[in-house]
Amino acid sequence: MQKIGVRCNIRAEAASLLVGENRLRFESIFVLIINKNYMKVAMIGTGYVGLTTGVCLADLGHQVVCIDNNLEKIEKLNQGKSPIFEPDLEELILKNAAAGRLVFSSEIKPAVIDAEIIFICVNTPPKEDGHADLKFVERVAREIAAAINGEYKVIVDKSTVPVKTAEKVKETISRYGRPDAQFDVVSNPEFLKEGTAVKDTLEPDRIVLGVDSDRAREKMAELYRPLIEKTGAPLKIVSVRSAELIKHGANTFLAAKISFANLMAQACEEAGADALEVLEAIGLDERIGRHFLRPGIGFGGSCFPKDISAFKKTLEVLGLDNMYVHAIERINLEASQRFLHKIEKELWVLDGKQIAILGLAFKPDTDDIRNAPALRIIESLKKDGAAIKAYDPQAMENMKKVVSDIEYCPDPYAAIAGSDAIVVCTEWDEIKNLDLAKVKSLMTTPMIFDGRNIFDPAKVKALGFKYFGVGR
């Protein structure tokens, strides 16, 4: 233990004499000497996917440099603070930064020069026509080209991109890079769920590698070997084009299950049946499965809406009928519209009514509000003159940046006090475990619109509430 302490002190003193690129290279060399069995990785982009993947690869023992052009974000990360809420992520940042395996920087060039494997983890937002906007991917590819040297590199498309994107990345690096540059471009799609991203990375149900060369396959297998040996996760090696289609296909299928659940909820409401009973029985069929067969007010987040839109456009480009994907999108939008209609029908005149919105994030255990159904609900209620009081355990700061003219409350009971109705938009445990007797005593009229079916209708009604779920 004493030798380790001396070694760390020497390292700290030596590093303090260096700055910028030289310090980053010193850190790389020092940690590589200690962990010579592990690999040097550059992670370009520190959003949900890039940050979680980079941190978890460092936790496996690899030497990782996470790069982002957002200086404020890099400064925050260097202070050991995560810019996003994700369970266990901040603890792993602190642990691996302290161990010298994890560095944050805004400089691409030194990281690319030193790295064996370079991940591209940038945003691919949808264009107005549904196509994925790949300008950030192209920009990073050009920056890699400007920095790449004669040593062999593996460039990894981790961002969710349309099929044939890897070929464009390869063309870009070849066009703008050195003529003696040696590299392969591979596809390594992610399958992370916000709220369980760390667990999904460290305990994956599969690892998909899209490679077209033996050298790249060996490098990527070496990268993931510690994880495979630790968890036994299956490694699926496919062609690059197949890997690019797998992520869009997987997300479209999962979105289809959610939309099917909401379609069944519509049918159950019209027929006087209970969608939860129906869908539970359907999900017991092992060919179908129970996951994602829960009705609600629609899916949100950054992945499903963006990915199914991009896949719909891919089908169009390939000359295939995309009406199936279009129906998934339409049913998802109708889910929140039908729910709003219930609120409007029951409350009659919304002008002047006070409504408590419980849950703002698109799902629990995240602060992400992108495409959150709560956004659509709030905007519609506001247009009709309702006064909104809102609460979410994590997402209020993000929502304030988008919606400033509603009241944000410090706890759910403050939002409920004096309200004519409660609208549940996110299934946080804190909301599930509310003291309903206290809730009733605080309300002007005891009415719950449960967009996530978190309450038992019989129990709630027995307490004197008017209850409206989805498909119940």
Side-chain angles (χ1 to χ4, degrees), residues 295-443:
I297 50 177
F299 54 76
S302 64
C303 289
F304 281 6
K306 173 176 67 71
D307 290 353
I308 64 176
S309 178
F311 185 57
K312 185 173 68 173
K313 208 65 184 178
T314 294
L315 293 176
E316 181 182 310
V317 170
L318 295 173
L320 301 173
D321 191 335
N322 62 13
M323 289 304 295
Y324 175 73
V325 185
H326 178 75
I328 295 170
E329 292 179 312
R330 179 177 53 79
I331 294 169
N332 187 61
L333 182 61
E334 287 176 354
S336 57
Q337 291 174 339
R338 286 176 62 87
F339 190 67
L340 276 164
H341 181 66
K342 289 180 187 178
I343 299 170
E344 293 163 355
K345 180 180 178 182
E346 188 63 29
L347 291 180
W348 187 31
V349 176
L350 289 172
D351 187 39
K353 295 286 196 321
Q354 181 174 301
I355 299 177
I357 304 291
L358 300 184
L360 301 172
F362 84 94
K363 62 178 289 187
D365 295 320
T366 180
D367 59 357
D368 195 347
I369 63 164
R370 288 175 291 181
N371 298 299
L375 276 168
R376 296 192 289 271
I377 301 289
I378 289 171
E379 289 301 327
S380 180
L381 294 175
K382 278 170 52 187
K383 285 180 182 177
D384 286 331
I388 306 296
K389 295 173 71 176
Y391 172 75
D392 187 285
Q394 295 294 336
M396 288 195 291
E397 291 305 312
N398 284 337
M399 186 64 85
K400 287 176 184 177
K401 298 172 186 175
V402 180
V403 182
S404 59
D405 57 346
I406 64 174
E407 182 180 349
Y408 294 92
C409 299
D411 60 69
Y413 297 107
I416 291 165
S419 292
D420 295 285
I422 293 171
V423 176
V424 177
C425 293
T426 314
E427 59 272 37
W428 287 97
D429 285 342
E430 182 180 0
I431 298 171
K432 292 178 184 178
N433 296 323
L434 286 172
D435 180 342
L436 292 178
K438 180 178 178 180
V439 167
K440 183 184 176 185
S441 71
L442 292 171
M443 298 186 70

Side-chain angles (χ1 to χ4, degrees), residues 78-90:
N78 278 322
Q79 294 170 357
K81 299 176 182 177
S82 175
I84 56 175
F85 174 76
E86 186 65 38
D88 303 321
L89 184 59
E90 191 161 279

Side-chain angles (χ1 to χ4, degrees), residues 113-272:
I113 290 171
D114 284 345
E116 300 167 74
I117 298 178
I118 302 159
F119 282 82
I120 300 176
C121 288
V122 294
N123 192 18
T124 55
K127 295 182 178 179
E128 288 186 8
D129 65 354
H131 273 298
D133 189 342
L134 300 178
K135 64 184 177 186
F136 300 116
V137 174
E138 196 265 356
R139 190 176 300 166
V140 167
R142 291 189 64 165
E143 292 189 76
I144 291 172
I148 202 168
N149 53 19
E151 298 175 2
Y152 177 72
K153 313 283 185 184
V154 177
I155 317 297
V156 184
D157 272 341
K158 194 71 172 176
S159 303
T160 302
V161 294
V163 65
K164 302 183 182 181
T165 298
E167 294 163 42
K168 292 297 183 182
V169 170
K170 188 171 185 177
E171 288 175 13
T172 300
I173 297 174
S174 298
R175 182 179 300 124
Y176 296 102
R178 291 167 44 157
D180 64 341
Q182 301 179 64
F183 68 95
D184 281 304
V185 180
V186 309
S187 176
N188 176 211
E190 52 83 17
F191 303 100
L192 310 183
K193 301 181 293 294
E194 291 185 34
T196 59
V198 170
K199 183 178 185 297
D200 294 339
T201 305
L202 295 176
E203 301 174 26
D205 52 18
R206 80 279 206 196
I207 299 169
V208 174
L209 298 180
V211 296
D212 290 334
S213 80
D214 291 339
R215 195 174 185 182
R217 183 181 67 249
E218 290 170 4
K219 278 283 188 184
M220 293 301 293
E222 183 181 349
L223 177 75
Y224 283 114
R225 184 171 291 113
L227 186 60
I228 294 169
E229 290 176 350
K230 183 178 179 180
T231 67
L235 177 63
K236 181 69 175 176
I237 297 177
V238 299
S239 68
V240 172
R241 288 187 180 182
S242 292
E244 289 173 325
L245 279 170
I246 285 169
K247 178 60 186 295
H248 276 157
N251 275 357
T252 300
F253 185 78
L254 293 175
K257 291 189 76 173
I258 297 172
S259 284
F260 173 78
N262 281 321
L263 180 63
M264 286 303 304
Q266 293 180 26
C268 288
E269 287 183 3
E270 297 301 325

